[in-house]
Amino acid sequence: MSNVYTLDALKADLDREFAPLKLDLGGEQIVLRNLMRVGKTDREAVLTALKVVEESNLSEEDAKIEDLGELGEQIELILKTVVADGKGEKLVTSIGGDIALSTKLIELWVEATQPGEAQNSPA
């Protein structure tokens, strides 16, 4: 067996291991990348925005216009950043400011891109 890999083969392996969330947007596929597949600066920005989203946990009674505005901005930042191929703005435009929809999409993305458990090496 050869110990030579190509960069393309390694990327393909990582695509399987750190699978993205794929969303059909009217016949066009939008790929929300795993956070581990995003560059350092973008990853840090997304992690900061995720903290804001997680800490908001707004109930309808407690929601203030300012809070909703900040929440919407942070969610848009996350989506624009993790969507591959520069299609983040298209996704955000398609969502049309619907915070409930975008929050649900963030939840799906977080669940779908959680790192799996370590697998045993073949014996």
Side-chain angles (χ1 to χ4, degrees):
M1 176 179 247
S2 173
N3 285 335
V4 177
Y5 269 92
T6 66
L7 192 55
D8 287 338
L10 285 171
K11 285 180 180 179
D13 286 349
L14 288 172
D15 284 344
R16 284 187 292 280
E17 186 175 347
F18 299 103
L21 174 67
K22 296 179 182 176
L23 179 68
D24 186 324
L25 190 64
E28 181 176 4
Q29 192 171 79
I30 303 291
V31 176
L32 287 81
R33 300 173 290 170
N34 184 299
L35 200 50
M36 293 191 66
R37 303 301 306 275
V38 176
K40 180 182 179 192
T41 303
D42 287 340
R43 185 173 47 250
E44 289 171 352
V46 169
L47 288 170
T48 300
L50 279 171
K51 259 188 203 175
V52 172
V53 171
E54 288 171 0
E55 290 171 358
S56 70
N57 273 338
L58 298 173
S59 66
E60 287 185 30
E61 306 88 49
D62 297 334
K64 296 180 186 134
I65 298 298
E66 307 84 46
D67 295 336
L68 290 175
E70 175 68 13
L71 180 62
E73 288 174 15
Q74 296 303 313
I75 290 171
E76 285 184 8
L77 182 141
I78 294 166
L79 294 174
K80 288 178 184 177
T81 305
V82 300
V83 171
D85 304 322
K87 295 180 181 178
E89 188 67 45
K90 183 172 190 161
L91 176 59
V92 167
T93 300
S94 297
I95 291 171
D98 185 333
I99 293 177
L101 178 60
S102 56
T103 301
K104 185 62 176 177
L105 183 54
I106 293 291
E107 288 174 14
L108 289 171
W109 169 73
V110 167
E111 288 175 21
T113 60
Q114 286 294 315
E117 293 183 23
Q119 297 179 7
N120 292 333
S121 303

